[in-house]
Amino acid sequence: MQLKNIKESTIIKNITKDSAPYVIFSILKDTKYNFVSYIVDNNFDLELVKKEINFYSKDIEILDFPEWNTIPYDINSPQLKIQTTSNETIYKLLHYDKLYKNKKVLFLISQKAILQKIINHNDFNYINFKTKQKITLDNIKEILKENCY
């Protein structure tokens, strides 16, 4: 596939992990597109791609959304660095037009992070229990499951 044939929403398959950073760099360098998303296998690969892209060009802004290093709803929180990076990336994506006008941007996210769903604080307003209903972990799990969590 030639880069000039890339359409706005194109999924490129069958690229080796080793060549992906160069292909991404080439797309950002040689096409009119300023934003590329790339899904990596895990946080280790995310860091490798960041380093390789920075090797090719320091002018590409990299927004990364790493996976948590904990299981969902665990008593432990993800590392502070992971929380901070994720929150910064969400902020930057929400303000993308102001922050990155005419800049080249690569958005990196891991497979697990794509599947991760964080409960919205407002959803707790819709958890209802009946009077004198015994509240158990199973009740809460069922309500969360009904709401796709």
Side-chain angles (χ1 to χ4, degrees):
M1 168 184 269
Q2 294 184 359
L3 291 178
K4 65 182 178 183
N5 295 333
I6 291 179
K7 304 293 183 223
E8 194 163 319
S9 287
T10 301
I11 296 174
I12 302 174
K13 298 180 182 179
N14 301 325
I15 296 175
T16 64
K17 279 173 132 178
D18 295 335
S19 63
Y22 182 74
V23 171
I24 293 166
F25 164 72
S26 298
I27 291 168
L28 287 167
K29 180 178 74 89
D30 298 334
T31 69
K32 63 182 181 180
Y33 301 111
N34 290 336
F35 188 88
V36 171
S37 299
Y38 182 61
I39 302 168
V40 296
D41 289 337
N42 52 48
N43 287 351
F44 180 77
D45 288 344
L46 188 141
E47 291 300 321
L48 283 177
V49 172
K50 279 174 49 176
K51 285 179 185 173
E52 288 190 50
I53 292 295
N54 282 324
F55 171 79
Y56 294 122
S57 174
K58 300 281 187 212
D59 296 330
I60 296 172
E61 180 73 29
I62 300 173
L63 305 179
D64 57 324
F65 198 89
E67 65 193 49
W68 287 8
N69 61 335
T70 60
I71 58 174
Y73 311 108
D74 190 5
I75 196 166
N76 298 315
S77 296
Q79 289 177 333
L80 187 57
K81 182 178 188 251
I82 291 174
Q83 292 178 41
T84 304
T85 301
S86 300
N87 289 332
E88 284 176 354
T89 297
I90 290 170
Y91 176 85
K92 289 175 180 178
L93 288 171
L94 289 171
H95 298 92
Y96 178 82
D97 291 336
K98 290 181 201 169
L99 296 172
Y100 301 111
K101 190 172 186 124
N102 300 320
K103 291 185 181 176
K104 300 291 186 173
V105 177
L106 170 61
F107 175 59
L108 293 173
I109 188 166
S110 72
Q111 291 176 7
K112 273 175 119 178
I114 274 190
L115 298 174
Q116 165 183 320
K117 186 171 182 182
I118 304 165
I119 191 164
N120 184 337
H121 175 65
N122 294 331
D123 288 347
F124 282 110
N125 296 332
Y126 302 106
I127 296 178
N128 297 314
F129 292 100
K130 298 175 184 129
T131 307
K132 296 185 179 181
Q133 178 182 357
K134 184 177 178 184
I135 300 174
T136 66
L137 186 57
D138 289 335
N139 295 82
I140 296 170
K141 282 181 185 177
E142 188 60 35
I143 290 168
L144 292 172
K145 191 185 300 181
E146 288 170 5
N147 289 292
C148 301
Y149 287 99

